Amino acid sequence: MSTRLSARPSTRLSTRLSTRLSALAASVALLTGLAAPAASADAAPAGGPSAQAAPTVNLATNPGFELPSPDLADWGSVPGWSCTGGPAEAAVTANAPHTGASALTVTPANADSTGECAQTVAVQPNTTYTASAWVRGNFVYLGATGTGKDVAPAWTETTGGGWQRLSTRFTTGPNARSIRLYVHGWYQQGPFSVDDVRVDGPAPAPAVAAGSVPTNDKVVFFTVDDGWQRTPEAERFIADHRLPITAFPLPMPAATDPDFFRRVTAVPGSSVQDHSVSHTDLSTLPLERQQVEICDARDSMTRVFGTTPTFFRPPYFTWNADTLQAAANCGIRTVLTADADFSWGAANIWHPGLLQPGDVVLMHWTDTLASDLQRALAAADAAGLKPAGLVDYLR
């Protein structure tokens, strides 16, 4: 359905709209036949015995649109959500929410927009989930992609001015680790609102906390945080020595100078990973707000650099059990600290002796980074170790 409708109403427009909506309804009806049937009381859950024992939780990020934007977030962003029209179309408002103090209201800006808002949700493979949301407006849709199987969207022609619950159930495929949850309206059908979104099912297992990498290889890992001070000297040192660097930039400096981070992570084994949105001590926040910090930074890094982070560096190295679960809910496998710090002229190894195989070295993007890298490389040489990339050792 790639045809777009004119912004001016006419008899021809009405005919085209009717045809388009009829075709859409027919396609949805066809897809409905592909949807997974409701499980009977005697049926084993798709995830097997372990999935049966796992508690059902809501995995959606900022499901009620009540959480504040973290400091340093994109201006006008909706925490946890990516909306195709940006703040020009999507906004959190207090206009008669379904529950709580606010809801998402989307006003498509032109005839070519459905006003889609979406988020990535980490899931378990071979497991059944139920996605639902309360919506208000005409021709509003809720669905999921990336499940590994066809999923029919839930939709309504009109909610009659009130709130209506949409729901769809799906079972993930054997390789599904995340799905894309979306809500959208339809062309020229006016604004719509969304509230109380849910993706109900078992959560992924918590991420693993680590300060080093278990390996007998004679390697060490250089990691560099934040990104506020980017110097040509550090860039040149990395290039001249072909150093694989694992960068943990914050979204704002990364988006300000993405080409710099592309250049300093050009050596094979290098990567750009997740360091939260605002560099807040996450251990002071509830799980829901930690999830926004980690997921939004993940989404920002993915948009800018084209690869999705799988490691998270907690600011100040502070984390708790909620951090591990929030990271997992964002698809992060490892919450990584370090066991040596060579930032700002330091040379601290937090265990006896020289650097050891698998050590993770902390540094920062500062005006001292070139000399910090030189000192860290000399320490690695003294221990008979070579820098390597985390992506080659942590999966």
Side-chain angles (χ1 to χ4, degrees):
M1 301 179 187
S2 59
T3 305
R4 296 293 185 261
L5 299 180
S6 165
R8 295 182 179 276
S10 66
T11 302
R12 184 176 182 182
L13 170 62
S14 299
T15 301
R16 290 172 65 193
L17 179 60
S18 176
T19 301
R20 189 170 189 170
L21 294 178
S22 296
L24 178 65
S27 65
V28 171
L30 177 62
L31 279 171
T32 302
L34 300 173
S40 68
D42 297 326
S50 61
Q52 186 176 19
T56 295
V57 297
N58 182 10
L59 294 172
T61 302
N62 194 17
F65 306 97
E66 307 285 341
L67 298 181
S69 293
D71 292 341
L72 306 181
D74 295 336
W75 290 278
S77 65
V78 178
W81 293 84
S82 176
C83 299
T84 55
E89 291 190 350
V92 175
T93 70
N95 182 21
H98 177 250
T99 63
S102 56
L104 176 69
T105 297
V106 181
T107 304
N110 55 56
D112 291 327
S113 175
T114 62
E116 183 181 82
C117 291
Q119 65 174 255
T120 299
V121 181
V123 294
Q124 296 184 24
N126 298 318
T127 304
T128 299
Y129 292 87
T130 300
S132 64
W134 286 86
V135 302
R136 183 175 59 203
N138 298 329
F139 290 96
V140 188
Y141 300 80
L142 168 77
T145 59
T147 65
K149 301 179 181 180
D150 291 313
V151 178
W155 66 291
T156 180
E157 184 173 349
T158 180
T159 66
W163 288 96
Q164 178 180 331
R165 184 176 182 267
L166 299 180
S167 178
T168 184
R169 190 166 179 253
F170 60 88
T171 299
T172 55
N175 299 314
R177 297 288 177 180
S178 66
I179 59 98
R180 181 177 181 271
L181 177 74
Y182 66 84
V183 291
H184 65 72
W186 197 243
Y187 304 100
Q188 293 186 286
Q189 296 303 300
F192 64 92
S193 297
V194 186
D195 203 0
D196 297 326
V197 181
R198 300 191 66 87
V199 179
D200 289 316
V208 174
S212 60
V213 176
T215 180
N216 292 321
D217 293 351
K218 293 184 177 301
V219 295
V220 68
F221 303 95
F222 289 174
T223 66
V224 190
D225 287 10
D226 297 350
W228 294 113
Q229 292 177 284
R230 303 172 293 277
T231 67
E233 294 82 9
E235 181 181 344
R236 187 162 49 251
F237 189 91
I238 291 168
D240 290 347
H241 292 81
R242 299 286 295 164
L243 293 179
I245 295 294
T246 303
F248 289 92
L250 298 170
M252 187 172 286
T256 299
D257 195 358
D259 287 343
F260 173 86
F261 290 99
R262 292 188 185 100
R263 293 193 301 269
V264 295
T265 57
V267 176
S270 299
S271 64
V272 177
Q273 300 293 334
D274 191 326
H275 193 35
S276 82
V277 172
S278 66
H279 209 280
T280 297
D281 178 351
L282 296 192
S283 67
T284 66
L285 302 179
L287 188 151
E288 294 79 7
R289 289 186 62 184
Q290 293 195 45
Q291 190 164 319
V292 165
E293 287 272 356
I294 300 170
C295 286
D296 276 5
R298 171 207 62 191
D299 292 344
S300 180
M301 297 302 105
T302 304
R303 282 195 304 271
V304 173
F305 300 106
T307 56
T308 302
T310 55
F311 320 136
F312 172 66
R313 165 66 53 79
Y316 312 109
F317 286 8
T318 57
W319 55 272
N320 56 22
D322 282 347
T323 311
L324 301 182
Q325 188 59 62
N329 292 353
C330 297
I332 298 293
R333 304 187 189 114
T334 305
V335 174
L336 185 71
T337 55
D339 42 22
D341 182 7
F342 279 67
S343 304
W344 292 292
N348 299 317
I349 301 173
W350 297 321
H351 57 67
L354 303 176
L355 289 173
Q356 298 175 0
D359 276 355
V360 176
V361 178
L362 170 69
M363 285 171 276
H364 289 78
W365 300 104
T366 66
D367 57 2
T368 67
L369 179 57
S371 59
D372 295 341
L373 285 165
Q374 186 171 27
R375 197 169 54 261
L377 185 58
D381 288 342
L385 306 173
K386 297 293 184 183
L390 280 170
V391 291
D392 294 330
Y393 282 82
L394 290 177
R395 301 295 181 186

